Amino acid sequence: MHLLRIDASINGPRSASRELGDIVETRWREQHPDATVTVRDLHETPIPPEAMGAAVSAAFAGESGPTEAQAAATVLATVLVDEIEAADAVLVDSPLYNYGVSSQMKAWIDLIHTDRRSAGGSVRILEGKPAVLVSTRGGSYGAGTPREGWDFATGYMRAILADLWGADLTVVERELTLVGINPALDRFAEAGAAQHEAATASAHEAGQRIAARRTAPVAG
Ligand SMILES: Cc1cc2nc3c(=O)[nH]c(=O)nc-3n(C[C@H](O)[C@H](O)[C@H](O)COP(=O)(O)O)c2cc1C
């Protein structure tokens, strides 16, 4: 058994998404003590933002062949999709930055979509595989909040992982992670603590759930 874990937070050990991801990974490892885990940390080792353009343009390389940058981007895209194909389960820890997915996460998705096995997102490269999306945000975007609906990351990541890529997706969400860090949110201390507690429980459940799930057999 093999788990692919994707991290994107710039917050190092203070990261809320990593904290929840650690719980999911721990629960998964308990059920699969001999299993292997690949961690791709998109903050520590970012996908170069220019890689997508280089990989796309490589398809139109003339007789002189691809440039060094085009060849490197194509190889990296291959590696990313190899990692997905090799995984029995996937964990994606996704922070909300500036109301959307982090640029690190977007660069990962963009480059994957250049590989022919993904074909721009039209191939379900995670079909039937159990996956957990951890989605964390500093504020609150629920019904009745001033910025209701402004979390443009969680829906996007669901669409990519489940709708396009076909994962059997469990979502763990935590809001108000900036309570205790940003004094303007002090009045939400109780709600923030409740969010933390609920998300922690949800991460334990999600880890157990994907650990118990087997990858769907390949048809034929
Ligand atoms: C560059 C940056 C942009 C952010 N933008 C938002 C935002 O638009 N909305 C929000 O609620 N929180 C925002 N935050 C707070 C993060 O969502 C919060 O720190 C969350 O815990 C991120 O997950 P992480 O701790 O794993 O990085 C931002 C944080 C950073 C560093």
Side-chain angles (χ1 to χ4, degrees), residues 36-207:
T36 47
V37 178
T38 293
V39 179
R40 179 165 284 279
D41 189 322
L42 300 170
H43 173 60
E44 291 291 324
T45 312
I47 307 294
E50 67 278 10
M52 176 180 68
V56 168
S57 63
F60 307 102
E63 281 179 10
S64 54
T67 64
E68 210 171 296
Q70 287 172 328
T74 305
V75 168
L76 184 52
T78 304
V79 170
L80 299 184
V81 179
D82 284 351
E83 287 176 353
I84 285 177
E85 287 191 346
D88 297 294
V90 177
L91 164 62
V92 179
D93 300 326
S94 176
L96 179 73
Y97 293 154
N98 298 312
Y99 309 103
V101 288
S102 68
S103 52
Q104 294 87 344
M105 185 67 73
K106 185 63 166 47
W108 179 69
I109 293 165
D110 284 346
L111 194 57
I112 285 171
H113 280 190
T114 68
D115 189 86
R116 60 180 167 71
R117 289 167 291 172
S118 161
S122 57
V123 176
R124 293 164 71 83
I125 53 178
L126 279 178
E127 182 68 58
K129 291 189 183 181
V132 174
L133 166 67
V134 171
S135 180
T136 52
R137 44 201 177 267
S140 181
Y141 300 90
T145 59
R147 293 240 162 99
E148 177 179 346
W150 277 54
D151 167 14
F152 297 108
T154 310
Y156 172 77
M157 289 303 297
R158 272 182 196 272
I160 296 292
L161 296 171
D163 300 340
L164 281 189
W165 294 1
D168 175 7
L169 189 65
T170 301
V171 181
V172 174
E173 294 184 74
R174 180 182 165 199
E175 292 201 326
L176 293 170
T177 65
L178 290 180
V179 168
I181 298 169
N182 178 351
L185 296 177
D186 280 355
R187 63 203 161 106
F188 299 114
E190 208 174 308
Q195 279 283 330
H196 193 188
E197 192 180 330
T200 301
S202 172
H204 282 284
E205 279 168 28

